[in-house]
Amino acid sequence: MKKRKTIGFLVSGIMDDFTIKMCNGVTSASLSDDDVNVVVIPVKYIYREMVGIPDKFEYQYQTNSENLNPENMDALIVAADCIGCLTTRENLCKFMETIKGIPTVLIAARMAGYPGVTFDNKSGIIEGIEYLIKEMGITKICMLGGSDDYSDTKERIDTFKEIVDKYGLEYKESHYIATDMTSRCVKQAGELLDNNPDAEAVFCLNDQVAMGLYEAMKERGLVPGQDIKVMGFDNSVSGAMVTPTLSTVDANAVELGRHAYRMVIRLLNGEKLGEEKLATRFIRRDSFGVSGLNNERNKEKYLDKNLLDYYFDKVFYRYLNIEEADGSKLRMGFKKVMNDLIDYINSDHDSSKDFRPVELGIEEFLSDGALMHTDNDELIPYIDSLHSAILSFYNNNGKEYRRGYVYRAISSAQRKIIKEMSNITIRYEEKLDDILYSMKTLVKDSLNFTYGNDHSYSTIVSNLGGMGIKNAYVYVYEKPIVHMEYEHFDIPGYVRLKAALTDGKIQDIPYSKQRIGLKHLFDNKFITDKKYCMVLMPLFFGDTLYGSVLFDLNDIVYRNGEFLTNQFSTAARVIEILKQNNEIQKQLEENLAIMAENNIALDKLSRNDVLTGILNRRGFYDVAESILRENNEIGKDTIVSYIDMNNLKVINDRFGHDDGDYSLKVISSILTEVVGTEGVVGRIGGDEYALVYYGEISEEGLSVEIRERFRDFNETSQVPYNVTVSCGFYRINGKDTITLDDAMASADQDLYIAKQYKDNRILKT
């Protein structure tokens, strides 16, 4: 049997509207091709600065691309400007080098040496801004843009400046502000408004930026469309749903995805490709002010056969996501109903039976699931406007007597719509209940394992059916891998397939059959032999990577895929902890048995730590409490410090436990030198230390002294890593009667704060 091709789609995430539309375009285009599987690979925002964002370990998504190579991928579609929108062009080029060797087509991006498809940014922008200038008399237009490192962004900025210059409008630097190109740009939008209180219109780089502008305007008591005209770009769902609706440039991301897929197929067939463009068009909505749909000229447009495609796209906008696979069935049904209706209106028929074919067409159109692709905010106003247009036509043409037929027909259609909407709501709520139940069970099971074994993974996978997922595969590394920010990630050459849900059934995978080479990540004997579209997500918890999970991509996954991945990651961590605990328990039982055989009593253990030679916890507390009592009697201050080694686990994992032990000895030696004869140091836990000091140096002085001692050691040592600690301090005034435990607890709180600012640079390079 011929091996099916696999095409990967590298995107930033799977939750934003633009990416979802592109993915729907790629997947819908692939449905007509029996020999292609599609895998969506989110890599988030490559080389992004992780400061000040909710998830500081988001950088782990970039490792997802390391799974790809010419052996498991026939071709790639790469949304380069999306994944690189928060870094430099140089870094983006560096990333593209990592996937070199796999035939690649860019989408919504341009880079030298790569074929790709982008939007014709100019046509739609020019149409929209010329409307502002010519039709609305606007003379001052500002812009919220973004980084011009990216071709689409630069072209939109340049087009804006060209059209403003063409019509002789004033333009100053203060009329333009760059943003991060997301809805989080409220601060920059507010700055633009404050700097330009006389601005009449604002063009936004994309609809998400426009959402940020809406928020900034709301904070200042300004109303889009009334106080300032607002124009976006992309024609996103959010732009169509917001109030007031957003005037925008329709850049059909679904068609963009379809075109990119077709280009990849052409590339694989040996065709030489270059840069290709898709047309854009301006869509006027309420953010340009009241549209005046009730005037006679606009009413006539609702009965214009040439505008049926426009109204279909406006009202049933969600259908664009699946239209190609569905063969435009719904569009043809809509146009047939409307053509029959318009013909009836223009005819001389005067009986209700002549209107029956139109009513039957409406019923058939609704029965085909039309209402699944719209919402009341779009459909009801359209029907009302259509009704008004028909009545106006009859009034103007002396056919008022026929209004009753149309009124009854439209009322009947509205009743059917309300009933169908109610049924859709019921079905949706039932589906939502199934999804919520599956998610709750997933969360419960991921935190309720008794043993860390392969069956635990299968338990998690078995909960996915309620979310419409029939195929899911959990790949786990032989050992978890610590991966710090900015460090290179060397992916293992193979993984272990711990759980497989194939065509809705759980497969039992013997340990001897689990080893899967990366070349077979998307094509092995456990994966469904049916054509598929899946998403590959990394499994990680903090700085530790556990593997990957591959599962079906559907509408539920777009909105909840990251949640699912987080639960799989949590499960992987819990399973690993349970495995380690089982090993520790086994080792402890063996040690206790040996101790029992040798009749060694626990209370006779040495006061000194065997590894480092300094006091252990018991010894430290005995000596430290004695010092506190003596100092309290003479009114002498005492400093207590709680100290924690940074990154012991990483050093153990990277360099081995011998290096970890060496680091612990270094810490013991340095701390002992710091306190000298005026204090005592103890190792009170695995990587935890404590000291009591009663010399003349202050807490700040001790902190500086310890930091400098470790700096000197790291600059001269021969090991390739840095040994560092974090310290918390608490001063006991001479006559205070605080206990050592309470002083240590206060020092521990100070340590917690200090660890927030610890230096994570482990490697000296």
Side-chain angles (χ1 to χ4, degrees):
M1 178 176 169
K2 181 182 177 183
K3 179 179 177 293
R4 189 177 288 126
K5 287 184 173 63
T6 302
I7 293 177
F9 186 14
L10 260 65
V11 298
S12 51
I14 57 170
M15 297 183 67
D16 67 276
D17 288 337
F18 186 66
T19 299
I20 292 172
K21 287 182 177 180
M22 288 194 297
C23 288
N24 280 328
V26 170
T27 56
S28 64
S30 71
L31 292 178
S32 60
D33 195 334
D34 293 332
D35 293 326
V36 175
N37 291 324
V38 173
V39 181
V40 175
I41 306 108
V43 294
K44 290 288 184 174
Y45 308 102
I46 59 171
Y47 304 115
R48 178 185 187 180
E49 183 67 37
M50 293 294 145
V51 177
I53 64 172
D55 184 3
K56 64 180 181 179
F57 298 103
E58 185 187 274
Y59 66 85
Q60 301 287 22
Y61 270 88
Q62 187 171 333
T63 65
N64 214 10
S65 66
E66 297 295 330
N67 290 289
L68 312 179
N69 59 59
E71 292 184 310
N72 61 27
M73 275 289 153
D74 293 282
L76 287 175
I77 302 171
V78 182
D81 282 4
C82 295
I83 65 180
C85 67
L86 298 178
T87 189
T88 63
R89 194 68 172 178
E90 180 183 358
N91 280 337
L92 178 57
C93 292
K94 176 182 174 184
F95 173 80
M96 293 299 294
E97 283 295 316
T98 65
I99 55 175
K100 201 169 184 179
I102 307 175
T104 297
V105 167
L106 300 185
I107 184 170
R110 298 189 192 95
M111 291 182 71
Y114 292 95
V117 56
T118 58
F119 290 119
D120 171 18
N121 294 287
K122 289 191 173 185
S123 55
I125 294 173
I126 291 172
E127 185 182 352
I129 296 180
E130 282 189 339
Y131 187 93
L132 286 171
I133 297 171
K134 292 181 176 180
E135 301 295 327
M136 309 192 80
I138 299 298
T139 59
K140 183 170 181 180
I141 308 175
C142 297
M143 179 177 179
L144 286 170
S147 171
D148 59 5
D149 282 343
Y150 303 98
S151 53
D152 271 352
T153 304
K154 187 175 187 308
E155 190 171 51
R156 293 175 197 180
I157 296 169
D158 290 344
T159 302
F160 167 74
K161 292 179 179 178
E162 287 172 11
I163 196 70
V164 166
D165 180 66
K166 174 182 175 182
Y167 285 92
L169 272 60
E170 181 185 26
Y171 179 77
K172 299 178 181 177
E173 289 187 7
S174 61
H175 294 178
Y176 173 87
I177 287 183
T179 71
D180 65 355
M181 299 183 284
T182 73
S183 59
R184 294 188 294 271
C185 68
V186 180
K187 181 179 178 182
Q188 289 83 4
E191 183 180 343
L192 184 77
L193 295 173
D194 295 340
N195 291 343
N196 300 276
D198 57 341
E200 298 174 275
V202 178
F203 168 50
C204 300
L205 181 76
N206 57 41
D207 289 358
Q208 287 298 302
V209 171
M211 297 301 99
L213 175 62
Y214 268 43
E215 186 63 31
M217 291 181 68
K218 183 179 179 181
E219 292 175 356
R220 289 159 177 77
L222 300 173
V223 179
Q226 294 181 23
D227 300 301
I228 298 176
K229 315 304 179 188
V230 181
M231 174 177 161
F233 194 107
D234 284 339
N235 193 22
S236 66
V237 174
S238 57
M241 302 298 291
V242 73
T243 303
T245 53
L246 178 67
S247 298
T248 187
V249 175
D250 180 23
N252 191 334
V254 175
E255 185 55 39
L256 194 72
R258 290 175 183 150
H259 196 95
Y261 177 84
R262 297 187 195 106
M263 286 185 71
V264 161
I265 298 301
R266 287 157 54 197
L267 187 67
L268 291 175
N269 289 334
E271 187 175 337
K272 188 175 181 180
L273 305 178
E275 293 183 4
E276 301 180 9
K277 286 188 176 185
L278 291 184
T280 57
R281 65 189 178 102
F282 170 64
I283 298 177
R284 185 186 186 280
R285 295 194 181 120
D286 294 342
S287 67
F288 269 29
V290 178
S291 59
L293 291 177
N294 291 324
N295 64 44
E296 294 303 315
R297 184 171 61 86
N298 278 309
K299 285 181 179 179
E300 292 175 3
K301 292 181 179 179
Y302 284 93
L303 300 178
D304 186 344
K305 291 184 178 182
N306 295 321
L307 295 176
L308 293 182
D309 280 313
Y310 166 80
Y311 287 119
F312 180 84
D313 290 341
K314 185 177 187 301
V315 177
F316 302 97
Y317 58 90
R318 293 194 185 105
Y319 187 66
L320 292 173
N321 296 346
I322 64 168
E323 183 169 10
E324 183 163 302
D326 195 48
S328 297
K329 179 181 179 182
L330 203 64
R331 182 183 295 273
M332 290 187 291
F334 172 80
K335 293 173 75 171
K336 182 180 187 306
V337 168
M338 290 303 301
N339 275 303
D340 289 347
L341 175 62
I342 294 169
D343 287 343
Y344 174 82
I345 292 168
N346 286 298
S347 71
D348 293 325
H349 296 303
D350 58 2
S351 67
S352 59
K353 70 176 183 179
D354 295 323
F355 195 77
R356 186 57 182 161
V358 178
E359 291 182 304
L360 293 174
I362 293 173
E363 292 176 4
E364 183 179 353
F365 178 66
L366 294 177
S367 68
D368 285 338
L371 298 186
M372 296 296 294
H373 308 286
T374 186
D375 50 69
N376 286 333
D377 290 336
E378 291 289 347
L379 182 59
I380 299 303
Y382 172 73
I383 293 175
D384 289 342
S385 297
L386 180 64
H387 189 196
S388 177
I390 295 172
L391 296 181
S392 176
F393 177 85
Y394 283 153
N395 288 337
N396 293 335
N397 290 276
K399 297 182 179 181
E400 295 90 341
Y401 63 92
R402 299 180 59 188
R403 296 192 306 176
Y405 302 148
V406 177
Y407 176 80
R408 288 193 298 274
I410 290 183
S411 296
S412 174
Q414 287 177 323
R415 288 194 297 271
K416 290 183 174 67
I417 288 170
I418 292 171
K419 182 178 179 180
E420 181 61 22
M421 282 289 190
S422 177
N423 292 335
I424 290 173
T425 301
I426 293 171
R427 291 195 296 270
Y428 175 77
E429 288 177 349
E430 291 174 349
K431 186 177 181 181
L432 186 61
D433 287 341
D434 291 340
I435 294 171
L436 291 175
Y437 177 78
S438 297
M439 286 186 174
K440 286 191 290 187
T441 306
L442 183 68
V443 173
K444 181 191 71 176
D445 288 349
S446 64
L447 298 173
N448 199 32
F449 299 134
T450 303
Y451 304 103
N453 54 33
D454 295 348
H455 180 69
S456 303
Y457 288 107
S458 296
T459 301
I460 293 294
V461 167
S462 65
N463 292 311
L464 299 179
M467 287 168 256
I469 298 174
K470 294 184 178 181
N471 299 283
Y473 307 92
V474 181
Y475 296 107
V476 176
Y477 301 137
E478 197 73 61
K479 291 176 60 178
I481 300 172
V482 176
H483 175 240
M484 308 300 287
E485 187 182 358
Y486 302 125
E487 289 186 350
H488 177 69
F489 176 63
D490 289 317
I491 193 167
Y494 70 92
V495 290
R496 288 200 172 274
L497 179 58
K498 292 296 184 180
L501 175 69
T502 303
D503 300 327
K505 295 181 180 179
I506 296 289
Q507 298 187 70
D508 291 323
I509 308 173
Y511 185 82
S512 61
K513 304 290 186 181
Q514 290 179 0
R515 182 164 167 154
I516 305 291
L518 279 186
K519 65 185 294 185
H520 296 299
L521 198 64
F522 310 111
D523 176 30
N524 57 68
K525 65 180 181 180
F526 298 102
I527 290 182
T528 178
D529 56 5
K530 297 177 182 177
K531 176 183 171 55
Y532 66 72
C533 174
M534 300 195 206
V535 60
L536 180 72
M537 302 288 267
L539 297 179
F540 66 92
F541 195 99
D543 58 13
T544 304
L545 283 160
Y546 294 95
S548 305
V549 57
L550 179 71
F551 51 92
D552 287 338
L553 184 59
N554 58 31
D555 289 340
I556 299 172
V557 170
Y558 282 126
R559 299 305 179 190
N560 301 285
E562 290 192 16
F563 167 80
L564 292 177
T565 303
N566 289 341
Q567 290 307 307
F568 276 109
S569 298
T570 300
R573 177 176 170 79
V574 171
I575 291 168
E576 184 63 25
I577 290 173
L578 288 173
K579 287 170 62 178
Q580 292 176 359
N581 286 346
N582 291 340
E583 291 297 320
I584 292 171
Q585 183 67 28
K586 187 186 300 182
Q587 186 176 2
L588 178 61
E589 291 172 357
E590 292 174 355
N591 290 341
L592 289 174
I594 293 172
M595 291 170 66
E597 290 174 4
N598 291 281
N599 199 26
I600 301 174
L602 289 176
D603 62 340
K604 292 184 180 180
L605 288 172
S606 169
R607 288 155 53 93
N608 286 74
D609 178 56
V610 176
L611 175 65
T612 64
I614 64 173
L615 293 173
N616 61 15
R617 184 182 187 89
R618 177 186 173 193
F620 172 78
Y621 268 78
D622 287 346
V623 176
E625 287 176 341
S626 176
I627 291 174
L628 289 186
R629 284 194 300 270
E630 292 176 7
N631 286 352
N632 184 254
E633 290 174 3
I634 63 176
K636 186 177 180 63
D637 287 4
T638 309
I639 295 174
V640 175
S641 179
Y642 206 128
I643 301 152
D644 187 20
M645 177 183 174
N646 298 328
N647 306 309
L648 174 61
K649 181 178 181 297
V650 178
I651 292 175
N652 279 334
D653 291 345
R654 293 276 181 83
F655 303 101
H657 286 274
D658 287 345
D659 282 80
D661 291 346
Y662 168 76
S663 301
L664 295 172
K665 293 175 184 178
V666 168
I667 294 171
S668 302
S669 176
I670 291 177
L671 294 178
T672 300
E673 290 175 7
V674 170
V675 301
T677 59
E678 296 175 304
V680 63
V681 178
R683 182 183 175 210
I684 60 173
D687 59 355
E688 298 175 341
Y689 294 78
L691 66 81
V692 167
Y693 175 77
Y694 48 90
E696 297 300 321
I697 306 176
S698 66
E699 302 97 306
E700 294 81 2
L702 275 177
S703 178
V704 172
E705 179 71 15
I706 291 171
R707 188 164 60 249
E708 290 180 352
R709 292 290 186 107
F710 278 97
R711 182 196 64 198
D712 293 341
F713 168 80
N714 289 323
E715 288 177 352
T716 58
S717 70
Q718 300 302 309
V719 293
Y721 50 82
N722 292 312
V723 179
T724 60
V725 296
S726 298
C727 306
F729 297 89
Y730 182 80
R731 175 181 285 273
I732 304 174
N733 294 325
K735 292 300 182 179
D736 283 357
T737 57
I738 187 172
T739 65
L740 178 61
D741 281 334
D742 288 342
M744 289 286 287
S746 296
D748 189 27
Q749 290 179 356
D750 192 45
L751 171 63
Y752 176 80
I753 296 173
K755 288 191 75 67
Q756 306 306 308
Y757 303 93
K758 71 177 183 179
D759 189 349
N760 276 325
R761 291 175 296 180
I762 299 167
L763 300 180
K764 290 184 178 181
T765 54

